[in-house]
């Protein structure tokens, strides 16, 4: 059996052992403990100089060849920056913030109020409401209810105020990047 990188895979014994001949190469030399072996999956990175130090204890620079693909990626990055600066994107972000910031402040205030009241006024929280149910139990259940209501309100707000505009932005962005890549998807 072979792994995805073409190297033999096995349990260490038998003809499928990684120490056996591999693609016509001699077996790995393992005289010294910690020596790099040819069947080591990190060998390629170490042999290429990646991660090794240069002359002054500084990592050696890795030469980067610019290809046509890299230039297309730079152009695509510019498209995304252009979309981020657009008025439509800023509007979607401001709609998001206008809902999320106040909702978080109110929910966090409600939670802190519950915790502070529970620690500073245990007599109030222990006051019975109906049978064994007291104020603390109702407030705790109110935390869960508030979470579900806030989740529903967020989903509704997103559906009604942001999703269509965000989808249009996404579509426009995909069209612009598709044009850069030459129609490929």
């Amino acid at each position: 059996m072979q792994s995805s990188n073409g190297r033999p895979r096995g349990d260490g014994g038998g003809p499928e052992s990684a120490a056996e001949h591999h693609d016509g190469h001699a077996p790995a030399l393992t005289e010294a403990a910690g020596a790099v072996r040819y069947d080591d999956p990190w060998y390629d990175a170490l042999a290429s100089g990646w991660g090794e130090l240069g002359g002054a204890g500084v990592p050696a620079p890795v030469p980067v060849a610019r290809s046509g693909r890299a230039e297309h990626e730079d152009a695509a990055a510019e498209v995304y920056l252009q979309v981020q600066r657009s008025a439509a994107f800023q509007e979607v972000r401001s709609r998001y913030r206008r809902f999320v910031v106040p909702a978080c402040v109110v929910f966090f205030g409600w939670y802190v109020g519950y915790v502070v009241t529970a620690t500073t006024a245990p007599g109030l929280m222990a006051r019975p409401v109906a049978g064994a149910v007291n104020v603390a139990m109702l407030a705790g259940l109110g935390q869960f209810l508030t979470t579900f209501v806030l989740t529903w309100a967020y989903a509704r707000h997103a559906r009604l105020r942001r999703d269509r505009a965000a989808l249009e932005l996404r579509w426009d962005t995909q069209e612009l990047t598709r044009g850069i890549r030459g129609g490929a998807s």
Side-chain angles (χ1 to χ4, degrees):
M1 180 180 351
Q2 289 203 343
S3 65
S4 62
N5 62 5
R7 294 185 177 145
R9 189 186 311 174
D11 60 352
E16 294 186 31
S17 172
E20 294 293 321
H21 292 307
H22 175 63
D23 295 334
H25 295 201
L29 300 175
T30 58
E31 289 90 25
V36 177
R37 300 178 356 196
Y38 288 110
D39 62 342
D40 184 357
W42 294 102
Y43 175 73
D44 295 334
L46 293 173
S48 68
W50 178 81
E52 295 180 3
L53 296 179
V58 180
V62 177
V64 177
R66 299 290 292 176
S67 65
R69 180 180 176 123
E71 291 172 4
H72 289 304
E73 289 173 357
D74 289 344
E78 185 59 39
V79 167
Y80 284 103
L81 289 173
Q82 178 185 359
V83 169
Q84 184 180 10
R85 293 181 203 116
S86 72
F89 182 83
Q90 297 303 323
E91 180 62 25
V92 169
R93 295 295 297 163
S94 69
R95 288 178 185 177
Y96 171 79
R97 286 187 197 109
R98 281 194 303 252
F99 179 84
V100 169
V101 171
C104 286
V105 168
V106 168
F107 185 77
F108 187 70
W110 159 230
Y111 175 74
V112 169
Y114 170 71
V115 171
V116 168
T117 305
T119 56
T120 59
L124 172 68
M125 297 301 263
R127 185 172 297 157
V129 175
V133 177
N134 59 18
V135 174
M137 289 178 150
L138 288 179
L141 291 173
Q143 292 288 320
F144 286 104
L145 179 65
T146 305
T147 302
F148 292 121
V149 168
L150 190 59
T151 302
W152 169 81
Y154 176 81
R156 183 176 185 275
H157 181 269
R159 186 181 68 246
L160 296 177
R161 308 256 189 243
R162 294 191 324 263
D163 284 354
R164 180 166 288 142
L167 265 168
E168 289 172 4
L169 274 171
R170 182 178 179 187
W171 182 262
D172 293 343
T173 304
Q174 293 300 317
E175 288 296 316
L176 289 171
T177 57
R178 188 174 294 121
I180 289 171
R181 291 185 305 226
S185 44

